[in-house]
Amino acid sequence: MSKRTSQLLILGTFLAAGLTLSVACNTPSKTTQAGGDLGSRTYVPVGEWDKYYAFLSGGQSGGVYVYGLPSGRLIRSIPVYEPRAGYGYANVPGTESYERLAASGPMWGDTHHPILSETGGDYDGKRLWINDKANSRIARVDLSTFETKAIVKIPNLQATHGIAVISPDTSYIIANGEFRAEIPAGSVDVDSYSSVMAFLDPMTLETRFEVLMPGNCDIADSSKDGRWAFTTMYNLEGAVTVEGMIQREEDGIGAVDIHAAEAAMERGEFTVIDGVKVIDPSATTEKVVYVIPVPKNPHGCDVTPDGKYVMGTGKLSPTVSIIDISKIDQVENLRDAIAGQPDVGLGPLHTTFDGRGNAYTSLFVDSQIVKWNIEKAIAGDPTYIVDRVDIHYNVGHTQATLAETMHPTGEYLLSLNKLSKDQYLPVGPTMPEAQELIDISGHKMTLLSSFPAEPEPHDAVFMLATDLAPNVIQTEEFAINAVPEDGSRVERVGPNEVHVYMTAIRSKYGLNEFTVKQGDKVTITLTNIETIRDMSHGFAIEDYGINMALDPGQTREVTFIADKPGTHWYYCTWFCSALHLEMRGRMLVEAGG
Ligand code: K7E
Ligand code: CUA
Ligand code: CA
């Protein structure tokens, strides 16, 4: 069978499997596995902590979910591109989080890839970044508070998809534009379409420079030495239709030489477009972009923990392409940089690692995780497949514990499944997404447990609790605008402008009441003056659409127009003591203004 025929067959199988899936959903044949003592392997006794934090992207929910592993307990969610009243996040106009999100784009997003800050190739427990594919944004979350601290829209880029920390010391965050579009924006001229890889400042998220990419960009990763940024490319055709995007037999893994790109910047080899320095790799002195040919429409892009190889995972091809990173700028023909191309199964999407020389690839069509040995696959040893485990069902991403660092723990693997079908109590035509936890510490994999999530996690990253828990602060430091214990007061700052300063502590606000005039612009500065962890207070005003949440020590502000006359009770929304219900006061709005 020719290579072309076999690939077409595989594509056919892929699409056909997709079709039968929808039929199978109506007639579930329930799959269960023997329980045995598996329960004890994920059981975390009451009062004890999980060993790992797991950060799962929220997909079209727009945030990040934080679970404990191995228990699979949801311990918090982090709203990023979505309002969340519970945390007083972006739910009320006139608050900082609302205004920041609104200034960057819509009040919703599509998050796929959480990534963690690194120092020396290992997680330092400081920060997390997450993309918004739908609105070309990226956000930074501070892991000392689990709060979103920055959100920006990236210029010249459509569909922020793959993002990655440049190892080993987080020198840049790279963000891939998945959709080709015109640059600069504003025309419909297909000839001016391009995809870009953006190099961002990790703290400010400002774009330091961008590189125009042939074809398109998809999933991202970096080498472990700060030299290379990688991306899969499934549209080297540069097409604008599905049919067009699967025309060619080969697409590529793109490798951007970061040092060469920086040298090009220094030589002034860039054009400023929409305020950003853009490098056109066809016009640089040194070669900046390499495209390694791999079978058509690859998806996952993953660098091994030792930094030797980058894996392009096949999707339409049943293979994983193992690229020897050290050869990329050494070989004449980039095909010679491919160290191996093992068959792994149907619909391979993403690959992860245990740090003991094994790779684990998710198989969307086969609904399996396959474990295979990297060096055996390269050597052509036919016994490179170590094990397969069935999952339920249709896995997208898979990640093993700390696999993105230089020191994976090789303990657990999470299979992030797209369909749960018959696995949970029915909750409507749409069922929850399912994560399955697999023990990978032994030779054989063991499927341990499953836990659901809201729509819809794509990817996950993990941190050891011992690396992160000590960095989480117990209370906020009092900010410069904090209201001191005796500082509650009302100040008229203009003919139609009032500033209210108030404290909150169990279980009383600093003011039992305050009076304003109808039409006044009112700013309330509220400080939770508690000094004990977990003593949160809230502040909602009846019929005014206002609700804030305050961590201990935290100060929040809201500005609004007091347009409705009368008595408006404000009250605490976080249960804080036996007198929580009594923790309230009155905003008196005098009619007429
Ligand atoms: Cu494979 Cu956006 Cu990472 Cu979804 S992407 S699975
Ligand atoms: Cu303060 Cu409830
Ligand atoms: Ca293609």
Side-chain angles (χ1 to χ4, degrees), residues 112-113 161 219 299 350 396-397 418 458:
H112 288 215
H113 302 113
H161 193 209
I219 304 295
H299 186 51
H350 295 278
H397 273 272
K418 293 303 177 190
H458 283 251

Side-chain angles (χ1 to χ4, degrees), residues 60-80:
Q60 60 273 36
S61 290
V64 176
Y65 304 120
V66 189
Y67 286 84
L69 293 184
S71 73
R73 299 182 294 200
L74 178 67
I75 46 182
R76 125 140 235 182
S77 59
I78 306 170
V80 182

Side-chain angles (χ1 to χ4, degrees), residues 216 233-239 242-252 295-298 316:
N216 78 332
M233 303 163 140
Y234 63 76
N235 187 22
L236 277 187
E237 296 90 342
V242 182
E243 297 78 12
M245 291 178 208
I246 56 174
Q247 207 111 78
R248 287 171 49 168
E249 287 308 311
E250 281 183 329
D251 283 290
K296 71 196 296 176
N297 294 52
L316 298 194

Side-chain angles (χ1 to χ4, degrees), residues 305 353-358 360 406-410:
F353 311 101
D354 62 10
R356 296 187 294 267
N358 301 302
Y360 300 77
M406 291 171 77
H407 300 96
T409 57

